[in-house]
Amino acid sequence: MNKRKKSKYSVASNTAFMLRRAWRQHKSIIFLVIALVLTELSINLAQLFIAPAVLQKVEVRAPLGELILTIALFSLSLIVLRGIKGYAEQNTLFARVHVRTTIMNDIVEKNMMTSYPNTQSIEKLKKCVSALQTTWGNSEATEHIWETLTELLINICGFAVYVALMSGLNVYLLIVVVITTVIGFLCSQRLESWGYRHREQADENRSRHTYVQNMMQSHEMAKDIRAFGLTPWLKELREKTESAVLAFYGKREKHSAAAGIIDVLLTFLRNGIAYVYLISIALKGNMPASEFLLYFGAFSGFSAWVTGIMDKCKTLYRESLDISKVREYLDTEEDFLFEKGEKLSEIKNCCLELKNVSFRYPESDTYIIENMNLKIEAGEKLAIVGLNGAGKTTLIKLLCGLYDPTEGQVLLNGEDIRKYNRREYYGLFSAVFQDFSMPDLTVSETVAQDYENIDMEKVRSCIEKAGLTEQIEALPKQYDTHLGRQVFLDGVELSGGQTQRLMLARALYKDGAVLVLDEPTAALDPLAESDIYNKYNEMTEGKTSVFISHRLASTRFCDRVLFLENGKITEEGSHRELLQKGGGYAKLFEIQSRYYQEGREFQ
């Protein structure tokens, strides 16, 4: 069995991490924890001394007024202390939630801003999910640790006070308490930590179950579920993943129950020895009743303090493991330079170059791009064509800086892009990718990707260039119409072709120096596609553009065409030049053109 890699973050390190977060985000939480420790300890001591103090007054036949005053003072103290405790608990709750949510926000922001390869790595995606799971509720480690630290400090302080109080008793009693408690702790830790030693398996089981649950409720899957009759299959998947989750929990609870049984037996042994000793002294007349009552309660409390210290240490250890997940993800190494990279001055003319570039995905041994050399001049309109799997989209990802080449360099105006702030480099590109995303916003917000600073004239112009004006202005609220129905009840669902045009308008609004279009007309009908081609020169005026398409007729609008096969540029030239060569490009164009030639039989 593979041993799990030991976390590089210790309990002390993780506790310090949370204290630093609290000091930056909500300082009051630290002072409230201290207040809770002092009030809880004071309440415990008041409860310990009240009965012996009253009994002692009775033993010395104190006046009734003095007896009543003693009871009143203890009662008033308890009322005040409990009031302070309630205030501190209420206010510390808000502080704890605030700190937890800021950690959650950091994880989400890390996921959004991390290097693109990290978003495609299964290992790093698992780290992200595990980190987020520690922030999902009040009982998770990133919030509950404050309760654990509070109770641990209370137990440590109580232990110190009770040791001083019981120093006049038999020292062997204290040794018995410590030994039995330590034995119980070690046994419990071994048994109860089973779940934590196997938590990666638990995370995987939960992730699979959550994925299936989400798939069953997915808006995108609704048509397929009905059209292909997927309900029985999905229900079976859900039952299997649910059974795996429940089986894990069952094993974990068995280990926890065994730990509980051992703890009960050791507690019975420890308390039995102590009570026999105290009763034997009292029967010999060597201890007054009030003192017997004090020590009897103190010994029970002393056992609870020791047990509490051990228990909270275990809890803190487990929560530290969860906080380690957060730190491991937040400290994930970046493939690219961001703030530490060189700043990009304003660039209008972008010359992009691939120099001896080869690329394979991190978890693959197969090269998608092999020893490619390519220079795209500033202002050039380049088309990239080829069959599926030729490497077209991968080439786009390399040019856009989403991946760095495995070998070779990507150059911007002769400089390696690795040295620049990669986010600033991204800013050079306006792109429409194959797998685009569209959140539920209004039309204008979708195009501008903004809520407040929207240039409506520019929005209208970009939608006009994308050929979508008529459809948008026919909507109920035109440019203020909500899109999608997951958030807004009055949302409108656009067709695939309309959505693709809207994504084109979004790319035009960004107005980057390089326009990248990866199959931008795949969902359009021939007339709509022709309209886009006719506007292509207008859309790309003054820009460097890279255009990917399976439809070779579209390339006639570009200055140069690259024909890719198996990750290599096998043909290069204008549309006309490549047809005249009679190579792979010409043959593929001939096959495609047969579909549109009326009366010609396709062979």
Side-chain angles (χ1 to χ4, degrees), residues 552-553 555-556 558 561 573-580 585 589:
L552 273 59
T555 62
R556 67 186 64 186
C558 298
V561 181
S574 68
H575 172 72
R576 185 180 297 275
E577 289 170 348
L578 293 182
L579 288 180
Q580 291 174 350
Y585 179 90
F589 180 78

Side-chain angles (χ1 to χ4, degrees), residues 465-467 501 504 517 520-521 524 526-537 539 547 557:
K465 289 178 182 178
R501 282 175 178 265
L504 178 57
L517 305 175
T521 61
L524 301 182
L527 291 177
E529 183 181 25
S530 177
D531 179 53
I532 293 293
Y533 295 155
N534 290 332
K535 295 179 179 179
Y536 187 66
N537 285 332
M539 289 187 292
F547 180 85
F557 301 95

Side-chain angles (χ1 to χ4, degrees), residues 254-272:
K254 286 180 181 178
H255 286 80
S256 181
I261 292 170
I262 292 173
D263 184 59
V264 167
L265 293 174
L266 288 171
T267 299
F268 180 79
L269 174 64
R270 178 172 61 243
N271 290 349

Side-chain angles (χ1 to χ4, degrees), residues 211-241:
Y211 174 75
V212 174
Q213 285 282 79
N214 291 339
M215 190 163 53
M216 295 176 76
Q217 303 172 66
S218 167
H219 175 72
E220 291 78 10
M221 284 285 295
K223 294 189 293 292
D224 291 329
I225 288 172
R226 286 154 180 79
F228 292 96
L230 299 179
T231 300
W233 176 62
L234 289 173
K235 287 175 67 176
E236 183 181 351
L237 276 180
R238 182 184 62 186
E239 290 170 1
K240 286 182 178 179
T241 56

